[in-house]
Each structure stands twice: as C-alpha cells, then as structure tokens.
Amino acid sequence: MPLTEYISALSDNPYFGAGFGLFGVGAGAALLRKGFQSSLILFRRHYMITLEVPCRDKSYQWLLQWMTAKGAKQTQHLSVETSFEQKDSGLIKTKYDFIPNIGTHFFRYGRTWIKVERTREQHTLDLHMGTPWETVQLTAFGKDKHMFFSILEEARQLALDQHEGKTIMYNALGSEWRPLGHPRRKRPISSVILDTGKSEKILKDCQEFISNPSWYINRGIPYRRGYLLYGPPGCGKSSYITALAGELGFSICILNLSERSLSDDRLNHLLSVAPQQSIILLEDIDAAFVSREDTTQQKAAYEGLNRITFSGLLNCLDGVASTEARIVFMTTNYIKRLDPALIRPGRVDMQEYIGWCSQSQIEQMYLRFYDEEDAARHAKLFAEKATQLNPNISPAQVQGYFMLHKHSSFKDVIDNCESLCQSRKI
Ligand SMILES: Nc1ncnc2c1ncn2[C@@H]1O[C@H](COP(=O)(O)OP(=O)(O)OP(=O)(O)O)[C@@H](O)[C@H]1O
C-alpha cells in the first residue's frame, strides 16, 4: 500500500493523533492536512508490509506476550491476563500481564514504528475453543519481511525463556493442546527414588532414542518409542514421568482416554499435533479398555463409557510418527487387564515394574528427609525394620510418614514404624 493511502487511512482512525505522533511522521501528516500533497512524493516509493497472525496460530500468544514485554508499555489500551507462576522456592504467585487490548497500538521495533491492530470478530467463533475469533495485524513501512521473522523469533524465544527450568503440562481441549495450569518447576529426577538402576535405565533409553533419529530413518522404522510403567498405586509412576520430562527438557501432554468426547479421529489428530519435544502420557490405560479375552459381561460394563475404540487406539499409536522424537508413556496398576496387542513391541518398547519399596529405596528416602548425625546408620535400621514388618509399603506411604514425623527424634521415628506398616496403602 503506498504511503499516501496509508496516511489517509490513518486519519480516519480514532487513534490518529496519538498514533501518528508516535509514528514519527507527524510532520508529513501536517503537510498532508494543509494540502501540501507534493511533499508526499518523497514517500511515494515506500510500501507497507503487513503480517496477520490469527488466534489459532501458535505465535499468537507469544506475540501478545512479546508486545507486552517490549512495546505495549507505550500503549494506554491494555487488557489483563492473569496467570500463576511457581517461584524457585515452590511458592505459587499470581502474575498479572497487561497485553495490548482490542484496538490499534503503535510501538517501535529498532528504528521502525509498527502499527498493531488487534481485532475480535463479533460474529465468528473459533469453533474448537468456543471463543471469539481474534487476529493481530502488524503493519510497517518497507518491504523487508525479515523484520517480522525476527519479531516472531524473539517472541518465541521469550516464551521459551519464561519456561526455562519448568515443565509444561498440556491438556487436550477440543482439537488442540492447551497448557494445564502454570508451568511447574522441574522435579529433579533424583528425587524420585526407584529400585536400583531402574531410573537410569529408562533415562538412558530415552536419551539414546532422542539422540539417534537417523538410526530409525535409515531402517525405515517409525521414529517413536513407547514405554509402560506398571505397578501398585503410589509407587512413583507419574512422579517419575514428570521428573523424566524435566530431565529431557520435554513437556507432557496428558490424554484421558476415558473422556467421553474423545473419538478415534480426535485422538489421531491430537497425537499428530502434539507440541514438539513432548511426552504423550496415557495414564491408567486399563481404565479405558479391557482385554479382548475378558468376558462379555466385563466388556458390557465398559461399553458406552467412551467413544474411542480399541482398534482406533492401536491405529493411532501406530500412526504416531514424526520427524520429532515421539515418546508415549502409559501407566497402569493392572498390567494383566491390558490386551497383549496394546503392549506388544512397537507399541510398547520397554516395560518396567515400579513396585513396593525395597530396603534401599526406604534408606534413600530417609536420607532425603533427615540429616542428623549418624543418619546413614539410622536409615539402614529404619529400612530393615519397616520392610520386615511389611514388605508391601509404597513410597507414597513412606513419604507421608516422614512428613508426619519431620520434627521427631530418630527414636520416635523408628518406634512408631508399626503405624507406617499398618497404614492404609496410598
Ligand atoms: N519412588 C518414589 N520416590 C519419591 N517419591 C515418591 C515415589 N513414589 C511416590 N512418591 C510420592 O508419592 C506421591 C504419589 O506418587 P505418584 O502419583 O507418582 O504414584 P503413582 O505410582 O503414579 O500412583 P498411581 O498409580 O495411583 O497413579 C507423590 O507425592 C510422590 O512424590
């Protein structure tokens, strides 16, 4: 669009006075108003470039945040976006971000003034989200598209920096993945104590997988890997997957297969659009399907519970392939209820039992909670006694017991050990 048209369009705009002043060509506008059309000849060769970012695009939120951080301070028309942020201390604080409101704004990027129009359609809905359709349009002088590339790249980088050291959990909403709650502080993998060597074995397998795409591509094998963690409740399956995601720098996409609105098509779509570098987590996979060997009565009990079919799930899992490493984790308390087809190699490449506390696990947990003198000997004595009294204690029970006795003396901790060993399994 030539500059002359652009300036006359601007003069129709309610923000014209302030905006044009900011635009830095106030003098040009004054000349135009006084009829000095010829002075614009100087500008005739200039063109406008525009960039439209619809709300469905991943860059949309990043761009709004970036404008907030960089340019929106110069605008008076703001709207608030409230979020929750977890501090390093673990405390969760409420955070208010002011983002440019619906309307026109101007901000400066380098030496260029940029006009930003954020619009919201009154009559068009984003059908997936049920929210009004929005767009942001950036307009600047010139022909250099690279400025927009660098703005988008800066916006992306800013969003990444904000999540540095955090694990983002995503939830499926409609046909999209949306962040679930606030990004959580990464849980150190060493804080989830599994039986000797298990944690290292799974981590090593994942790392090898991620760092070796060519091995899969050269052999024509889909670049994905499936894991199944099974065992009693409260033994650390979910905690370990969260910690592992943090260690790998991945986010987690949680899928609830029992959700009524989940169809085969939607599942397929969700798996194919999952954010890059994320673990797909299918928790309690036994709750969604029964084994094909189960009786018709058992099957009837499940019938009507969800719309996704077993064969649909198998197809979706087989179809999960991308140039990005795709990792799928499933968890269950009841491995025997799973259909063998679901956990055959190719769909589940590694199965690991995450079970009751071994003596060494209890010792390590003790040492994470207590640091008194002679803690190592106390840990050993406590672990021996606890496992003798009850070999089926979950780490969740041990954690609960230690929290209850965090200020107690060692004598109290070991003397009350019976209450831990009799306590209901968590
Ligand atoms: N191995 C472990 N090391 C440290 N903490 C653990 C461990 N296992 C469980 N916990 C603690 O117990 C609680 C419950 O653990 P988690 O939810 O990971 O268990 P789970 O095996 O996934 O249970 P479920 O099968 O019921 O989903 C968490 O607070 C976690 O910190």
Side-chain angles (χ1 to χ4, degrees):
M1 184 201 270
L3 180 67
T4 42
E5 281 173 42
Y6 183 67
I7 290 179
S8 39
L10 275 180
S11 51
D12 292 330
N13 192 299
Y15 297 102
F16 175 69
F20 224 23
L22 282 171
F23 217 69
V25 286
L31 288 174
L32 175 64
R33 283 182 167 164
K34 286 182 184 153
F36 289 101
Q37 299 285 339
S38 57
S39 60
L40 287 170
I41 292 165
L42 286 173
F43 301 113
R44 269 193 197 284
R45 294 232 177 98
H46 290 265
Y47 288 86
M48 312 306 302
I49 48 167
T50 61
L51 172 77
E52 184 173 296
V53 185
C55 58
R56 292 293 308 281
D57 194 274
K58 284 194 182 67
S59 305
Y60 186 77
Q61 280 302 328
W62 298 343
L63 198 58
L64 287 184
Q65 299 292 345
W66 179 83
M67 287 193 297
T68 307
K70 298 278 166 174
K73 287 173 200 127
Q74 299 158 14
T75 186
Q76 301 299 314
H77 310 285
L78 302 167
S79 59
V80 70
E81 203 166 72
T82 309
S83 56
F84 301 100
E85 192 183 32
Q86 192 171 31
K87 297 275 165 204
D88 288 344
S89 62
L91 273 181
I92 294 172
K93 289 197 83 177
T94 311
K95 191 165 155 254
Y96 300 104
D97 278 329
F98 292 107
I99 55 173
N101 198 3
I102 303 298
T104 308
H105 312 267
F106 293 88
F107 74 91
R108 200 174 168 142
Y109 182 68
R111 297 174 64 190
T112 313
W113 279 99
I114 298 182
K115 180 188 171 199
V116 179
E117 286 171 295
R118 183 177 170 202
T119 50
R120 180 178 293 157
E121 299 281 334
Q122 294 301 328
H123 303 293
T124 317
L125 282 185
D126 175 351
L127 287 177
H128 294 293
M129 306 302 299
T131 50
W133 184 263
E134 286 189 15
T135 47
V136 163
Q137 181 166 299
L138 308 184
T139 308
F141 283 122
K143 290 179 176 175
D144 182 14
K145 284 187 294 231
H146 287 99
M147 180 179 62
F148 288 150
F149 282 123
S150 35
I151 288 179
L152 291 174
E153 192 46 36
E154 270 187 35
R156 189 184 73 90
Q157 199 51 53
L158 185 79
L160 288 182
D161 292 350
Q162 279 174 354
H163 296 147
E164 182 70 35
K166 308 256 168 66
T167 306
I168 310 174
M169 310 287 238
Y170 290 94
N171 199 10
L173 199 66
S175 62
E176 292 191 347
W177 291 100
R178 286 281 158 141
L180 175 69
H182 54 87
R184 287 142 215 238
R185 201 159 38 108
K186 281 183 185 170
R187 179 171 180 162
I189 202 156
S190 57
S191 75
V192 186
I193 299 156
L194 302 187
D195 210 0
T196 319
K198 280 199 179 156
S199 171
E200 294 75 12
K201 182 176 159 195
I202 303 171
L203 175 64
K204 187 162 169 263
D205 191 90
C206 285
Q207 285 170 334
E208 251 176 43
F209 167 69
I210 293 166
S211 59
N212 235 338
S214 52
W215 191 92
Y216 287 80
I217 293 159
N218 294 343
R219 286 163 184 78
I221 301 172
Y223 189 33
R224 60 161 189 264
R225 198 140 176 93
Y227 298 84
L228 173 73
L229 301 188
Y230 64 98
C235 291
K237 298 180 289 299
S238 312
S239 309
Y240 181 73
I241 296 167
T242 313
L244 177 75
E247 183 72 25
L248 299 173
F250 274 40
S251 47
I252 301 182
C253 295
I254 306 168
L255 251 182
N256 179 3
L257 293 181
S258 313
E259 197 191 300
R260 294 276 294 138
S261 63
L262 193 64
S263 63
D264 291 349
D265 283 348
R266 205 181 130 215
L267 175 67
N268 206 359
H269 174 78
L270 283 167
L271 291 181
S272 59
V273 297
Q276 294 179 344
Q277 299 198 318
S278 60
I279 288 177
I280 312 273
L281 175 57
L282 310 175
E283 277 199 301
D284 298 325
I285 188 101
D286 57 279
F289 296 102
V290 281
S291 161
R292 281 187 272 197
E293 282 149 30
D294 278 353
T295 64
T296 34
Q297 269 164 328
Q298 280 167 315
K299 281 186 179 169
Y302 281 83
E303 219 159 80
L305 279 183
N306 55 13
R307 287 169 52 202
I308 175 179
T309 62
F310 184 65
S311 56
L313 172 66
L314 297 187
N315 286 336
C316 291
L317 288 175
D318 292 342
V320 177
S322 67
T323 44
E324 277 282 320
R326 185 58 84 219
I327 298 178
V328 178
F329 263 87
M330 302 182 207
T331 68
T332 181
N333 297 135
Y334 308 98
I335 191 172
K336 292 212 171 106
R337 289 190 190 164
L338 299 182
D339 194 300
L342 179 63
I343 52 176
R344 69 141 169 80
R347 294 191 182 117
V348 168
D349 303 288
M350 187 184 227
Q351 296 184 13
E352 238 10 276
Y353 172 69
I354 310 291
W356 305 118
C357 279
S358 65
Q359 203 168 308
S360 117
Q361 268 172 283
I362 301 182
E363 272 184 57
Q364 288 177 62
M365 287 184 79
Y366 186 98
L367 291 171
R368 283 190 73 85
F369 274 83
Y370 303 101
D371 57 359
E372 78 266 15
E373 218 179 287
D374 228 5
R377 192 175 63 85
H378 291 167
K380 204 164 186 309
L381 288 173
F382 179 84
E384 264 169 22
K385 184 169 177 190
T387 43
Q388 264 167 26
L389 287 171
N390 186 351
N392 294 347
I393 311 172
S394 69
Q397 281 173 283
V398 177
Q399 176 180 284
Y401 179 78
F402 286 159
M403 280 162 74
L404 200 67
H405 292 88
K406 58 177 178 290
H407 299 305
S408 308
S409 64
F410 171 65
K411 186 173 178 317
D412 284 346
V413 175
I414 198 153
D415 285 353
N416 286 315
C417 189
E418 278 87 357
S419 66
L420 159 70
C421 301
Q422 284 157 12
S423 64
R424 203 165 54 85
K425 293 180 180 64
I426 301 169

